[in-house]
């Protein structure tokens, strides 16, 4: 359902049909599905962005590398918060509160059981705090110089090829 309406969300991007036609033109056999609903959260977000005049929308969450294999409700909540603000949606994120607290408690307990892990996490936190003010800010599209970026990439690849990748 669309946020705030009773209309069901219908997703059938024309790009998908065009892609299938390209595959068929190359001799690949395809089968078109009759399913017309969302295929995942990314499809729903892209469709909502398109309806709001955005060419694309990609939102990613960051979790500590030592927690990558764990489902992290704090990251899920942060992603949903960003998407809801970006797309002007009203989402009830209160169910995440208890899950976030429980997850943080589990992480704290796991770290507390191993002195080496405690030291490692403490060092990571200190490193992060020390560079917090130096964190790069996202650039706007008009701030990017694609030609300069391409030259830098070519230089980097040339140096790698010549074995001077330091």
């Amino acid at each position: 359902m669309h946020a705030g309406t009773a209309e069901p969300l219908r997703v059938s991007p024309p790009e998908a049909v065009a892609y299938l036609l390209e595959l068929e033109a190359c001799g690949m056999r395809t089968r078109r599905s009759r399913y017309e609903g969302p295929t995942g959260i990314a499809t729903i977000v892209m469709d909502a962005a398109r309806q709001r005049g955005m060419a694309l929308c990609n939102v990613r969450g960051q979790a500590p590398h030592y927690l990558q294999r764990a489902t992290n409700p704090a990251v899920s909540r942060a992603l949903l918060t960003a998407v809801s603000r970006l797309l002007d949606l009203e989402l009830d994120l209160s169910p995440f509160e208890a899950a976030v607290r429980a997850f943080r408690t589990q992480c704290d307990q796991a770290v507390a059981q191993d002195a080496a892990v405690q030291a490692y996490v403490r060092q990571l936190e200190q490193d992060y705090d020390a560079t917090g003010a130096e964190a790069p800010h996202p650039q706007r599209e008009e701030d990017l110089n694609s030609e300069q970026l391409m030259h830098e990439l070519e230089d980097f690849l040339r140096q790698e090829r010549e074995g001077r990748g330091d």
Side-chain angles (χ1 to χ4, degrees), residues 2 5 16 21 41 47 61 67 116 126 132 140 145 150 153 158:
H2 288 293
T5 71
L21 292 174
I41 189 68
D47 184 61
L67 296 177
Q126 289 171 355
R140 296 183 315 241
N145 181 334
M150 189 56 93
L153 179 59
R158 191 177 309 104

Side-chain angles (χ1 to χ4, degrees), residues 144-151:
L144 297 176
N145 181 334
S146 58
E147 193 164 325
Q148 178 185 355
L149 182 61
M150 189 56 93
H151 287 300

Side-chain angles (χ1 to χ4, degrees), residues 39-48 57:
T39 57
I41 189 68
T43 306
I44 294 170
V45 170
M46 287 187 301
D47 184 61
C57 180

Side-chain angles (χ1 to χ4, degrees), residues 8-50:
L9 178 65
R10 184 172 179 203
V11 179
S12 54
E15 299 86 16
V17 174
Y19 182 68
L20 285 176
L21 292 174
E22 284 183 42
L23 291 176
E24 290 171 355
C26 294
M28 298 181 87
R29 294 176 54 189
T30 63
R31 183 174 3 143
R32 293 191 182 122
S33 172
R34 294 176 192 241
Y35 178 72
E36 294 184 355
T39 57
I41 189 68
T43 306
I44 294 170
V45 170
M46 287 187 301
D47 184 61
R50 190 176 305 119

